[in-house]
Amino acid sequence: MKSETITQRILTADDGMRLTNGESVVTTVVLPVEADASVWSEITEEKAQEILKKEEESNV
Amino acid sequence: MTIAKKLAAIAENEQKVFDAGKQSEYDRFWDSAQNFGNRVGYICSFAGYCWNDDTYNPKYPITATENSNYLFWNARITNTKVPIYVSTTGSNNSNTFASCSYLVTIPLLVAAEKTTFYSSFNGCTAMENITFEGTIGNAISFNNSSKLTNKSVQSIIDHLKDLTGANTQTLTLHANVGANLTDEQKASVTAKNWTLAY
């Protein structure tokens, strides 16, 4: 039998908000125990849409 | 042989002759385009909407180990058909499948530890199936791929490099896909010191 204990930190954006690390725009982040959570910040849905729109336009 | 018999023989073999000519042209084109399987730089090679399931029929695996920038950008293919070896240099593989909104299946993608995936799958809105080989050592995102199967996600997870003791990298999935992961899958990601975002 293999038994492991995995410690995680889960960040969840508040309603109407999203999380970003400058590259990804998401609502949930599951961090390993050693990771620095401060690279993720909360932004408004409006700001998130702006980032996603720019990303979409850069690929057209 | 009389002329009549010759004409009869030609008529009998018309389809075979046509098929042989067609095969010859296929071989000539793809042998040249892929340098008999030895080509390693594929920048923009199958980019643009002219490439679709009829026009894209490679004869050899795509060994884009030197350069895979924009390899399939905006192509209208549904399946990459052959194994794809993406650039191992760590700098020449951005946007490899970007804007491939028709792409459903990548049967085999072979990555190396240094391979980067900057915007590689942006706009892959139809993507369902992807199978990895090799090592995923840098951040990778499927944030536009809401139809990605759990089997595909498992293939991605299985090939994430163990970053224990190193800086974490981020695996980004579409919200719907991430929400359907099991706790075990999430634990597999973080156990390798990867951050899962969805």
PDB file of all heavy atoms in Angstrom, chain A residues 6-8 21 23-24 26-32 34-35 40 52 55 58-60, chain B residues 73 95 98-99 122 143-144 165 168 170 172 186-187 190-191 193-198:
ATOM      1  N   ILE A   6      -0.461  14.959   0.579  1.00  0.00           N
ATOM      2  CA  ILE A   6      -0.142  16.077  -0.306  1.00  0.00           C
ATOM      3  C   ILE A   6      -0.772  17.341   0.282  1.00  0.00           C
ATOM      4  O   ILE A   6      -1.985  17.394   0.486  1.00  0.00           O
ATOM      5  CB  ILE A   6      -0.714  15.854  -1.722  1.00  0.00           C
ATOM      6  CG1 ILE A   6      -0.310  14.489  -2.286  1.00  0.00           C
ATOM      7  CG2 ILE A   6      -0.299  16.991  -2.646  1.00  0.00           C
ATOM      8  CD1 ILE A   6       1.109  14.336  -2.679  1.00  0.00           C
ATOM      9  N   THR A   7       0.059  18.331   0.544  1.00  0.00           N
ATOM     10  CA  THR A   7      -0.481  19.591   1.063  1.00  0.00           C
ATOM     11  C   THR A   7      -0.642  20.566  -0.090  1.00  0.00           C
ATOM     12  O   THR A   7       0.282  20.753  -0.881  1.00  0.00           O
ATOM     13  CB  THR A   7       0.452  20.194   2.129  1.00  0.00           C
ATOM     14  OG1 THR A   7       0.702  19.193   3.116  1.00  0.00           O
ATOM     15  CG2 THR A   7      -0.170  21.411   2.777  1.00  0.00           C
ATOM     16  N   GLN A   8      -1.803  21.145  -0.210  1.00  0.00           N
ATOM     17  CA  GLN A   8      -2.082  22.095  -1.278  1.00  0.00           C
ATOM     18  C   GLN A   8      -2.674  23.364  -0.680  1.00  0.00           C
ATOM     19  O   GLN A   8      -3.247  23.335   0.398  1.00  0.00           O
ATOM     20  CB  GLN A   8      -3.134  21.532  -2.247  1.00  0.00           C
ATOM     21  CG  GLN A   8      -2.775  20.215  -2.891  1.00  0.00           C
ATOM     22  CD  GLN A   8      -3.952  19.641  -3.664  1.00  0.00           C
ATOM     23  OE1 GLN A   8      -5.115  19.874  -3.330  1.00  0.00           O
ATOM     24  NE2 GLN A   8      -3.637  18.889  -4.701  1.00  0.00           N
ATOM     25  N   ASN A  21      -1.815  35.467 -12.948  1.00  0.00           N
ATOM     26  CA  ASN A  21      -0.383  35.547 -12.617  1.00  0.00           C
ATOM     27  C   ASN A  21       0.340  36.332 -13.713  1.00  0.00           C
ATOM     28  O   ASN A  21       1.555  36.263 -13.849  1.00  0.00           O
ATOM     29  CB  ASN A  21       0.224  34.150 -12.476  1.00  0.00           C
ATOM     30  CG  ASN A  21       0.148  33.343 -13.759  1.00  0.00           C
ATOM     31  OD1 ASN A  21      -0.511  33.752 -14.719  1.00  0.00           O
ATOM     32  ND2 ASN A  21       0.795  32.190 -13.786  1.00  0.00           N
ATOM     33  N   GLU A  23      -0.171  35.747 -16.869  1.00  0.00           N
ATOM     34  CA  GLU A  23      -0.291  34.932 -18.083  1.00  0.00           C
ATOM     35  C   GLU A  23      -1.653  34.251 -18.139  1.00  0.00           C
ATOM     36  O   GLU A  23      -2.373  34.368 -19.112  1.00  0.00           O
ATOM     37  CB  GLU A  23       0.828  33.880 -18.115  1.00  0.00           C
ATOM     38  CG  GLU A  23       2.212  34.481 -18.270  1.00  0.00           C
ATOM     39  CD  GLU A  23       3.321  33.450 -18.186  1.00  0.00           C
ATOM     40  OE1 GLU A  23       3.041  32.267 -17.934  1.00  0.00           O
ATOM     41  OE2 GLU A  23       4.483  33.842 -18.368  1.00  0.00           O
ATOM     42  N   SER A  24      -1.986  33.511 -17.103  1.00  0.00           N
ATOM     43  CA  SER A  24      -3.260  32.805 -17.065  1.00  0.00           C
ATOM     44  C   SER A  24      -4.314  33.653 -16.358  1.00  0.00           C
ATOM     45  O   SER A  24      -3.994  34.403 -15.438  1.00  0.00           O
ATOM     46  CB  SER A  24      -3.108  31.476 -16.314  1.00  0.00           C
ATOM     47  OG  SER A  24      -2.172  30.655 -16.968  1.00  0.00           O
ATOM     48  N   VAL A  26      -7.887  32.857 -14.518  1.00  0.00           N
ATOM     49  CA  VAL A  26      -8.666  31.698 -14.065  1.00  0.00           C
ATOM     50  C   VAL A  26      -9.500  32.062 -12.834  1.00  0.00           C
ATOM     51  O   VAL A  26      -9.426  33.193 -12.336  1.00  0.00           O
ATOM     52  CB  VAL A  26      -7.719  30.525 -13.709  1.00  0.00           C
ATOM     53  CG1 VAL A  26      -6.978  30.019 -14.944  1.00  0.00           C
ATOM     54  CG2 VAL A  26      -6.726  30.932 -12.628  1.00  0.00           C
ATOM     55  N   THR A  27     -10.254  31.071 -12.368  1.00  0.00           N
ATOM     56  CA  THR A  27     -11.024  31.307 -11.136  1.00  0.00           C
ATOM     57  C   THR A  27     -10.515  30.473  -9.961  1.00  0.00           C
ATOM     58  O   THR A  27     -10.805  30.783  -8.815  1.00  0.00           O
ATOM     59  CB  THR A  27     -12.523  30.982 -11.352  1.00  0.00           C
ATOM     60  OG1 THR A  27     -12.629  29.654 -11.846  1.00  0.00           O
ATOM     61  CG2 THR A  27     -13.163  31.940 -12.309  1.00  0.00           C
ATOM     62  N   THR A  28      -9.769  29.397 -10.270  1.00  0.00           N
ATOM     63  CA  THR A  28      -9.261  28.528  -9.198  1.00  0.00           C
ATOM     64  C   THR A  28      -7.786  28.218  -9.447  1.00  0.00           C
ATOM     65  O   THR A  28      -7.391  27.935 -10.578  1.00  0.00           O
ATOM     66  CB  THR A  28     -10.051  27.200  -9.175  1.00  0.00           C
ATOM     67  OG1 THR A  28     -11.438  27.493  -9.053  1.00  0.00           O
ATOM     68  CG2 THR A  28      -9.609  26.326  -8.001  1.00  0.00           C
ATOM     69  N   VAL A  29      -7.024  28.262  -8.389  1.00  0.00           N
ATOM     70  CA  VAL A  29      -5.602  27.914  -8.477  1.00  0.00           C
ATOM     71  C   VAL A  29      -5.276  26.937  -7.353  1.00  0.00           C
ATOM     72  O   VAL A  29      -5.575  27.208  -6.192  1.00  0.00           O
ATOM     73  CB  VAL A  29      -4.706  29.166  -8.345  1.00  0.00           C
ATOM     74  CG1 VAL A  29      -3.230  28.771  -8.361  1.00  0.00           C
ATOM     75  CG2 VAL A  29      -4.985  30.155  -9.464  1.00  0.00           C
ATOM     76  N   VAL A  30      -4.712  25.795  -7.735  1.00  0.00           N
ATOM     77  CA  VAL A  30      -4.286  24.803  -6.741  1.00  0.00           C
ATOM     78  C   VAL A  30      -2.763  24.844  -6.691  1.00  0.00           C
ATOM     79  O   VAL A  30      -2.089  24.499  -7.662  1.00  0.00           O
ATOM     80  CB  VAL A  30      -4.771  23.387  -7.126  1.00  0.00           C
ATOM     81  CG1 VAL A  30      -4.432  22.392  -6.012  1.00  0.00           C
ATOM     82  CG2 VAL A  30      -6.265  23.378  -7.418  1.00  0.00           C
ATOM     83  N   LEU A  31      -2.254  25.286  -5.573  1.00  0.00           N
ATOM     84  CA  LEU A  31      -0.806  25.504  -5.442  1.00  0.00           C
ATOM     85  C   LEU A  31      -0.144  24.384  -4.652  1.00  0.00           C
ATOM     86  O   LEU A  31      -0.685  23.942  -3.635  1.00  0.00           O
ATOM     87  CB  LEU A  31      -0.546  26.821  -4.707  1.00  0.00           C
ATOM     88  CG  LEU A  31      -0.913  28.108  -5.442  1.00  0.00           C
ATOM     89  CD1 LEU A  31      -1.196  29.204  -4.437  1.00  0.00           C
ATOM     90  CD2 LEU A  31       0.213  28.525  -6.362  1.00  0.00           C
ATOM     91  N   PRO A  32       1.033  23.964  -5.095  1.00  0.00           N
ATOM     92  CA  PRO A  32       1.800  23.036  -4.275  1.00  0.00           C
ATOM     93  C   PRO A  32       2.321  23.774  -3.037  1.00  0.00           C
ATOM     94  O   PRO A  32       2.379  25.007  -3.028  1.00  0.00           O
ATOM     95  CB  PRO A  32       2.943  22.607  -5.198  1.00  0.00           C
ATOM     96  CG  PRO A  32       3.092  23.713  -6.166  1.00  0.00           C
ATOM     97  CD  PRO A  32       1.731  24.317  -6.342  1.00  0.00           C
ATOM     98  N   GLU A  34       5.149  24.409  -1.745  1.00  0.00           N
ATOM     99  CA  GLU A  34       6.321  25.292  -1.813  1.00  0.00           C
ATOM    100  C   GLU A  34       6.108  26.535  -2.680  1.00  0.00           C
ATOM    101  O   GLU A  34       6.965  27.406  -2.725  1.00  0.00           O
ATOM    102  CB  GLU A  34       7.518  24.510  -2.374  1.00  0.00           C
ATOM    103  CG  GLU A  34       8.022  23.404  -1.467  1.00  0.00           C
ATOM    104  CD  GLU A  34       9.075  22.540  -2.147  1.00  0.00           C
ATOM    105  OE1 GLU A  34       9.561  22.918  -3.232  1.00  0.00           O
ATOM    106  OE2 GLU A  34       9.392  21.468  -1.606  1.00  0.00           O
ATOM    107  N   ALA A  35       4.997  26.602  -3.374  1.00  0.00           N
ATOM    108  CA  ALA A  35       4.807  27.697  -4.337  1.00  0.00           C
ATOM    109  C   ALA A  35       4.469  29.018  -3.656  1.00  0.00           C
ATOM    110  O   ALA A  35       3.849  29.046  -2.597  1.00  0.00           O
ATOM    111  CB  ALA A  35       3.708  27.327  -5.317  1.00  0.00           C
ATOM    112  N   TRP A  40      -0.083  35.392  -7.691  1.00  0.00           N
ATOM    113  CA  TRP A  40      -1.466  35.416  -8.163  1.00  0.00           C
ATOM    114  C   TRP A  40      -2.194  36.584  -7.513  1.00  0.00           C
ATOM    115  O   TRP A  40      -2.122  36.768  -6.307  1.00  0.00           O
ATOM    116  CB  TRP A  40      -2.193  34.106  -7.815  1.00  0.00           C
ATOM    117  CG  TRP A  40      -1.625  32.949  -8.570  1.00  0.00           C
ATOM    118  CD1 TRP A  40      -0.607  32.127  -8.167  1.00  0.00           C
ATOM    119  CD2 TRP A  40      -2.017  32.507  -9.867  1.00  0.00           C
ATOM    120  NE1 TRP A  40      -0.343  31.194  -9.140  1.00  0.00           N
ATOM    121  CE2 TRP A  40      -1.192  31.405 -10.202  1.00  0.00           C
ATOM    122  CE3 TRP A  40      -2.974  32.916 -10.791  1.00  0.00           C
ATOM    123  CZ2 TRP A  40      -1.308  30.718 -11.410  1.00  0.00           C
ATOM    124  CZ3 TRP A  40      -3.088  32.242 -11.995  1.00  0.00           C
ATOM    125  CH2 TRP A  40      -2.266  31.156 -12.296  1.00  0.00           C
ATOM    126  N   LEU A  52      -8.045  38.770 -21.841  1.00  0.00           N
ATOM    127  CA  LEU A  52      -8.364  37.643 -22.718  1.00  0.00           C
ATOM    128  C   LEU A  52      -8.591  38.105 -24.157  1.00  0.00           C
ATOM    129  O   LEU A  52      -8.221  37.415 -25.110  1.00  0.00           O
ATOM    130  CB  LEU A  52      -9.600  36.905 -22.190  1.00  0.00           C
ATOM    131  CG  LEU A  52      -9.394  36.182 -20.850  1.00  0.00           C
ATOM    132  CD1 LEU A  52     -10.719  35.681 -20.288  1.00  0.00           C
ATOM    133  CD2 LEU A  52      -8.430  35.014 -21.011  1.00  0.00           C
ATOM    134  N   GLU A  55      -5.299  38.728 -25.752  1.00  0.00           N
ATOM    135  CA  GLU A  55      -4.674  37.426 -26.046  1.00  0.00           C
ATOM    136  C   GLU A  55      -5.272  36.838 -27.316  1.00  0.00           C
ATOM    137  O   GLU A  55      -4.561  36.340 -28.188  1.00  0.00           O
ATOM    138  CB  GLU A  55      -4.918  36.489 -24.865  1.00  0.00           C
ATOM    139  CG  GLU A  55      -4.291  35.123 -25.015  1.00  0.00           C
ATOM    140  CD  GLU A  55      -4.665  34.211 -23.862  1.00  0.00           C
ATOM    141  OE1 GLU A  55      -4.120  34.391 -22.775  1.00  0.00           O
ATOM    142  OE2 GLU A  55      -5.533  33.346 -24.051  1.00  0.00           O
ATOM    143  N   SER A  58      -4.120  38.699 -30.409  1.00  0.00           N
ATOM    144  CA  SER A  58      -2.720  38.448 -30.765  1.00  0.00           C
ATOM    145  C   SER A  58      -2.559  37.154 -31.560  1.00  0.00           C
ATOM    146  O   SER A  58      -1.526  36.917 -32.182  1.00  0.00           O
ATOM    147  CB  SER A  58      -1.851  38.388 -29.503  1.00  0.00           C
ATOM    148  OG  SER A  58      -2.096  37.184 -28.793  1.00  0.00           O
ATOM    149  N   ASN A  59      -3.579  36.324 -31.559  1.00  0.00           N
ATOM    150  CA  ASN A  59      -3.500  35.060 -32.287  1.00  0.00           C
ATOM    151  C   ASN A  59      -4.220  35.075 -33.621  1.00  0.00           C
ATOM    152  O   ASN A  59      -4.212  34.084 -34.338  1.00  0.00           O
ATOM    153  CB  ASN A  59      -4.086  33.938 -31.420  1.00  0.00           C
ATOM    154  CG  ASN A  59      -3.097  33.493 -30.375  1.00  0.00           C
ATOM    155  OD1 ASN A  59      -1.933  33.253 -30.669  1.00  0.00           O
ATOM    156  ND2 ASN A  59      -3.544  33.428 -29.142  1.00  0.00           N
ATOM    157  N   VAL A  60      -4.883  36.166 -33.945  1.00  0.00           N
ATOM    158  CA  VAL A  60      -5.635  36.209 -35.195  1.00  0.00           C
ATOM    159  C   VAL A  60      -4.737  36.642 -36.335  1.00  0.00           C
ATOM    160  O   VAL A  60      -3.889  37.483 -36.173  1.00  0.00           O
ATOM    161  CB  VAL A  60      -6.842  37.170 -35.066  1.00  0.00           C
ATOM    162  CG1 VAL A  60      -7.548  37.312 -36.416  1.00  0.00           C
ATOM    163  CG2 VAL A  60      -7.786  36.642 -34.026  1.00  0.00           C
TER     164      VAL A  60
ATOM    165  N   TRP B  73      -0.394  27.355 -37.168  1.00  0.00           N
ATOM    166  CA  TRP B  73      -1.205  28.530 -36.815  1.00  0.00           C
ATOM    167  C   TRP B  73      -2.380  28.722 -37.802  1.00  0.00           C
ATOM    168  O   TRP B  73      -2.190  28.774 -39.011  1.00  0.00           O
ATOM    169  CB  TRP B  73      -0.325  29.790 -36.804  1.00  0.00           C
ATOM    170  CG  TRP B  73      -1.109  31.030 -36.570  1.00  0.00           C
ATOM    171  CD1 TRP B  73      -1.573  31.500 -35.375  1.00  0.00           C
ATOM    172  CD2 TRP B  73      -1.548  31.958 -37.557  1.00  0.00           C
ATOM    173  NE1 TRP B  73      -2.279  32.660 -35.562  1.00  0.00           N
ATOM    174  CE2 TRP B  73      -2.283  32.963 -36.899  1.00  0.00           C
ATOM    175  CE3 TRP B  73      -1.400  32.025 -38.945  1.00  0.00           C
ATOM    176  CZ2 TRP B  73      -2.862  34.026 -37.575  1.00  0.00           C
ATOM    177  CZ3 TRP B  73      -1.980  33.090 -39.626  1.00  0.00           C
ATOM    178  CH2 TRP B  73      -2.696  34.076 -38.929  1.00  0.00           C
ATOM    179  N   ASN B  95       3.244  29.425 -30.190  1.00  0.00           N
ATOM    180  CA  ASN B  95       2.056  29.442 -31.057  1.00  0.00           C
ATOM    181  C   ASN B  95       1.971  28.245 -32.014  1.00  0.00           C
ATOM    182  O   ASN B  95       1.387  28.354 -33.097  1.00  0.00           O
ATOM    183  CB  ASN B  95       2.024  30.735 -31.877  1.00  0.00           C
ATOM    184  CG  ASN B  95       1.875  31.962 -31.013  1.00  0.00           C
ATOM    185  OD1 ASN B  95       0.777  32.298 -30.583  1.00  0.00           O
ATOM    186  ND2 ASN B  95       2.978  32.623 -30.717  1.00  0.00           N
ATOM    187  N   ALA B  98      -1.604  27.495 -32.341  1.00  0.00           N
ATOM    188  CA  ALA B  98      -2.480  28.623 -32.021  1.00  0.00           C
ATOM    189  C   ALA B  98      -3.522  28.855 -33.112  1.00  0.00           C
ATOM    190  O   ALA B  98      -3.246  28.718 -34.299  1.00  0.00           O
ATOM    191  CB  ALA B  98      -1.653  29.887 -31.821  1.00  0.00           C
ATOM    192  N   SER B  99      -4.717  29.183 -32.661  1.00  0.00           N
ATOM    193  CA  SER B  99      -5.846  29.496 -33.555  1.00  0.00           C
ATOM    194  C   SER B  99      -6.279  28.323 -34.430  1.00  0.00           C
ATOM    195  O   SER B  99      -6.938  28.527 -35.446  1.00  0.00           O
ATOM    196  CB  SER B  99      -5.526  30.707 -34.440  1.00  0.00           C
ATOM    197  OG  SER B  99      -5.277  31.835 -33.647  1.00  0.00           O
ATOM    198  N   ASN B 122      -3.381  28.261 -27.746  1.00  0.00           N
ATOM    199  CA  ASN B 122      -4.385  29.328 -27.688  1.00  0.00           C
ATOM    200  C   ASN B 122      -5.368  29.199 -28.853  1.00  0.00           C
ATOM    201  O   ASN B 122      -4.958  28.992 -29.994  1.00  0.00           O
ATOM    202  CB  ASN B 122      -3.711  30.697 -27.769  1.00  0.00           C
ATOM    203  CG  ASN B 122      -3.276  31.182 -26.404  1.00  0.00           C
ATOM    204  OD1 ASN B 122      -3.341  30.444 -25.432  1.00  0.00           O
ATOM    205  ND2 ASN B 122      -2.815  32.421 -26.338  1.00  0.00           N
ATOM    206  N   ASN B 143      -6.225  26.720 -21.927  1.00  0.00           N
ATOM    207  CA  ASN B 143      -7.318  27.498 -21.331  1.00  0.00           C
ATOM    208  C   ASN B 143      -8.520  27.686 -22.261  1.00  0.00           C
ATOM    209  O   ASN B 143      -9.606  28.007 -21.798  1.00  0.00           O
ATOM    210  CB  ASN B 143      -6.813  28.859 -20.829  1.00  0.00           C
ATOM    211  CG  ASN B 143      -6.288  29.720 -21.945  1.00  0.00           C
ATOM    212  OD1 ASN B 143      -5.658  29.214 -22.869  1.00  0.00           O
ATOM    213  ND2 ASN B 143      -6.530  31.008 -21.880  1.00  0.00           N
ATOM    214  N   ASN B 144      -8.341  27.471 -23.559  1.00  0.00           N
ATOM    215  CA  ASN B 144      -9.474  27.611 -24.485  1.00  0.00           C
ATOM    216  C   ASN B 144     -10.108  26.281 -24.856  1.00  0.00           C
ATOM    217  O   ASN B 144     -11.049  26.233 -25.642  1.00  0.00           O
ATOM    218  CB  ASN B 144      -9.030  28.310 -25.776  1.00  0.00           C
ATOM    219  CG  ASN B 144      -8.552  29.723 -25.543  1.00  0.00           C
ATOM    220  OD1 ASN B 144      -7.515  30.117 -26.065  1.00  0.00           O
ATOM    221  ND2 ASN B 144      -9.279  30.510 -24.758  1.00  0.00           N
ATOM    222  N   GLY B 165      11.777  20.843  -5.569  1.00  0.00           N
ATOM    223  CA  GLY B 165      13.026  21.554  -5.297  1.00  0.00           C
ATOM    224  C   GLY B 165      13.341  22.634  -6.318  1.00  0.00           C
ATOM    225  O   GLY B 165      14.316  23.371  -6.163  1.00  0.00           O
ATOM    226  N   THR B 168       8.072  26.288  -9.286  1.00  0.00           N
ATOM    227  CA  THR B 168       6.828  25.715  -9.804  1.00  0.00           C
ATOM    228  C   THR B 168       6.525  26.265 -11.201  1.00  0.00           C
ATOM    229  O   THR B 168       6.928  27.375 -11.552  1.00  0.00           O
ATOM    230  CB  THR B 168       5.647  26.033  -8.858  1.00  0.00           C
ATOM    231  OG1 THR B 168       4.484  25.334  -9.298  1.00  0.00           O
ATOM    232  CG2 THR B 168       5.343  27.508  -8.792  1.00  0.00           C
ATOM    233  N   THR B 170       3.145  26.332 -14.211  1.00  0.00           N
ATOM    234  CA  THR B 170       1.681  26.294 -14.147  1.00  0.00           C
ATOM    235  C   THR B 170       1.071  25.507 -15.297  1.00  0.00           C
ATOM    236  O   THR B 170       1.408  25.739 -16.459  1.00  0.00           O
ATOM    237  CB  THR B 170       1.111  27.732 -14.152  1.00  0.00           C
ATOM    238  OG1 THR B 170       1.652  28.445 -13.038  1.00  0.00           O
ATOM    239  CG2 THR B 170      -0.408  27.735 -14.047  1.00  0.00           C
ATOM    240  N   THR B 172      -2.406  25.204 -16.984  1.00  0.00           N
ATOM    241  CA  THR B 172      -3.686  25.908 -17.028  1.00  0.00           C
ATOM    242  C   THR B 172      -4.668  25.142 -17.899  1.00  0.00           C
ATOM    243  O   THR B 172      -4.357  24.769 -19.032  1.00  0.00           O
ATOM    244  CB  THR B 172      -3.504  27.339 -17.597  1.00  0.00           C
ATOM    245  OG1 THR B 172      -2.520  28.019 -16.828  1.00  0.00           O
ATOM    246  CG2 THR B 172      -4.811  28.116 -17.548  1.00  0.00           C
ATOM    247  N   LYS B 186      -5.525  16.148  -9.201  1.00  0.00           N
ATOM    248  CA  LYS B 186      -5.020  17.431  -8.684  1.00  0.00           C
ATOM    249  C   LYS B 186      -3.796  17.197  -7.798  1.00  0.00           C
ATOM    250  O   LYS B 186      -2.814  17.941  -7.872  1.00  0.00           O
ATOM    251  CB  LYS B 186      -6.124  18.145  -7.894  1.00  0.00           C
ATOM    252  CG  LYS B 186      -7.274  18.636  -8.755  1.00  0.00           C
ATOM    253  CD  LYS B 186      -8.387  19.207  -7.901  1.00  0.00           C
ATOM    254  CE  LYS B 186      -9.611  19.515  -8.737  1.00  0.00           C
ATOM    255  NZ  LYS B 186     -10.782  19.882  -7.939  1.00  0.00           N
ATOM    256  N   ALA B 187      -3.867  16.146  -6.993  1.00  0.00           N
ATOM    257  CA  ALA B 187      -2.741  15.832  -6.112  1.00  0.00           C
ATOM    258  C   ALA B 187      -1.507  15.425  -6.923  1.00  0.00           C
ATOM    259  O   ALA B 187      -0.376  15.763  -6.557  1.00  0.00           O
ATOM    260  CB  ALA B 187      -3.134  14.722  -5.147  1.00  0.00           C
ATOM    261  N   THR B 190       0.183  18.726  -8.091  1.00  0.00           N
ATOM    262  CA  THR B 190       0.897  19.484  -7.054  1.00  0.00           C
ATOM    263  C   THR B 190       2.028  18.668  -6.428  1.00  0.00           C
ATOM    264  O   THR B 190       3.008  19.245  -5.954  1.00  0.00           O
ATOM    265  CB  THR B 190      -0.073  19.990  -5.962  1.00  0.00           C
ATOM    266  OG1 THR B 190      -0.779  18.866  -5.417  1.00  0.00           O
ATOM    267  CG2 THR B 190      -1.051  20.994  -6.531  1.00  0.00           C
ATOM    268  N   ALA B 191       1.909  17.347  -6.449  1.00  0.00           N
ATOM    269  CA  ALA B 191       2.986  16.503  -5.900  1.00  0.00           C
ATOM    270  C   ALA B 191       4.270  16.676  -6.705  1.00  0.00           C
ATOM    271  O   ALA B 191       5.364  16.459  -6.189  1.00  0.00           O
ATOM    272  CB  ALA B 191       2.558  15.042  -5.901  1.00  0.00           C
ATOM    273  N   ASN B 193       5.158  19.530  -7.773  1.00  0.00           N
ATOM    274  CA  ASN B 193       5.433  20.959  -7.589  1.00  0.00           C
ATOM    275  C   ASN B 193       4.958  21.806  -8.775  1.00  0.00           C
ATOM    276  O   ASN B 193       5.566  22.813  -9.121  1.00  0.00           O
ATOM    277  CB  ASN B 193       6.924  21.212  -7.314  1.00  0.00           C
ATOM    278  CG  ASN B 193       7.155  22.591  -6.683  1.00  0.00           C
ATOM    279  OD1 ASN B 193       6.285  23.096  -5.968  1.00  0.00           O
ATOM    280  ND2 ASN B 193       8.292  23.190  -6.970  1.00  0.00           N
ATOM    281  N   TRP B 194       3.893  21.376  -9.397  1.00  0.00           N
ATOM    282  CA  TRP B 194       3.251  22.180 -10.434  1.00  0.00           C
ATOM    283  C   TRP B 194       2.028  22.881  -9.829  1.00  0.00           C
ATOM    284  O   TRP B 194       1.389  22.351  -8.916  1.00  0.00           O
ATOM    285  CB  TRP B 194       2.783  21.300 -11.605  1.00  0.00           C
ATOM    286  CG  TRP B 194       3.885  20.966 -12.566  1.00  0.00           C
ATOM    287  CD1 TRP B 194       4.915  20.098 -12.352  1.00  0.00           C
ATOM    288  CD2 TRP B 194       4.061  21.494 -13.881  1.00  0.00           C
ATOM    289  NE1 TRP B 194       5.732  20.048 -13.455  1.00  0.00           N
ATOM    290  CE2 TRP B 194       5.228  20.888 -14.405  1.00  0.00           C
ATOM    291  CE3 TRP B 194       3.355  22.396 -14.665  1.00  0.00           C
ATOM    292  CZ2 TRP B 194       5.701  21.184 -15.690  1.00  0.00           C
ATOM    293  CZ3 TRP B 194       3.815  22.697 -15.945  1.00  0.00           C
ATOM    294  CH2 TRP B 194       4.982  22.089 -16.443  1.00  0.00           C
ATOM    295  N   THR B 195       1.722  24.044 -10.363  1.00  0.00           N
ATOM    296  CA  THR B 195       0.512  24.769  -9.982  1.00  0.00           C
ATOM    297  C   THR B 195      -0.570  24.480 -11.016  1.00  0.00           C
ATOM    298  O   THR B 195      -0.312  24.516 -12.221  1.00  0.00           O
ATOM    299  CB  THR B 195       0.789  26.295  -9.937  1.00  0.00           C
ATOM    300  OG1 THR B 195       1.758  26.555  -8.919  1.00  0.00           O
ATOM    301  CG2 THR B 195      -0.481  27.079  -9.656  1.00  0.00           C
ATOM    302  N   LEU B 196      -1.746  24.152 -10.536  1.00  0.00           N
ATOM    303  CA  LEU B 196      -2.876  23.874 -11.429  1.00  0.00           C
ATOM    304  C   LEU B 196      -3.827  25.067 -11.407  1.00  0.00           C
ATOM    305  O   LEU B 196      -4.258  25.499 -10.332  1.00  0.00           O
ATOM    306  CB  LEU B 196      -3.613  22.613 -10.948  1.00  0.00           C
ATOM    307  CG  LEU B 196      -4.901  22.244 -11.666  1.00  0.00           C
ATOM    308  CD1 LEU B 196      -4.630  21.890 -13.126  1.00  0.00           C
ATOM    309  CD2 LEU B 196      -5.574  21.065 -10.956  1.00  0.00           C
ATOM    310  N   ALA B 197      -4.117  25.610 -12.564  1.00  0.00           N
ATOM    311  CA  ALA B 197      -4.999  26.777 -12.640  1.00  0.00           C
ATOM    312  C   ALA B 197      -6.134  26.498 -13.623  1.00  0.00           C
ATOM    313  O   ALA B 197      -5.902  25.952 -14.694  1.00  0.00           O
ATOM    314  CB  ALA B 197      -4.200  27.999 -13.088  1.00  0.00           C
ATOM    315  N   TYR B 198      -7.354  26.841 -13.218  1.00  0.00           N
ATOM    316  CA  TYR B 198      -8.495  26.650 -14.121  1.00  0.00           C
ATOM    317  C   TYR B 198      -9.648  27.564 -13.760  1.00  0.00           C
ATOM    318  O   TYR B 198      -9.630  28.190 -12.738  1.00  0.00           O
ATOM    319  CB  TYR B 198      -8.954  25.194 -14.123  1.00  0.00           C
ATOM    320  CG  TYR B 198      -9.355  24.628 -12.781  1.00  0.00           C
ATOM    321  CD1 TYR B 198     -10.675  24.685 -12.331  1.00  0.00           C
ATOM    322  CD2 TYR B 198      -8.398  24.015 -11.964  1.00  0.00           C
ATOM    323  CE1 TYR B 198     -11.036  24.152 -11.103  1.00  0.00           C
ATOM    324  CE2 TYR B 198      -8.754  23.480 -10.732  1.00  0.00           C
ATOM    325  CZ  TYR B 198     -10.064  23.558 -10.301  1.00  0.00           C
ATOM    326  OH  TYR B 198     -10.417  23.041  -9.077  1.00  0.00           O
TER     327      TYR B 198
END
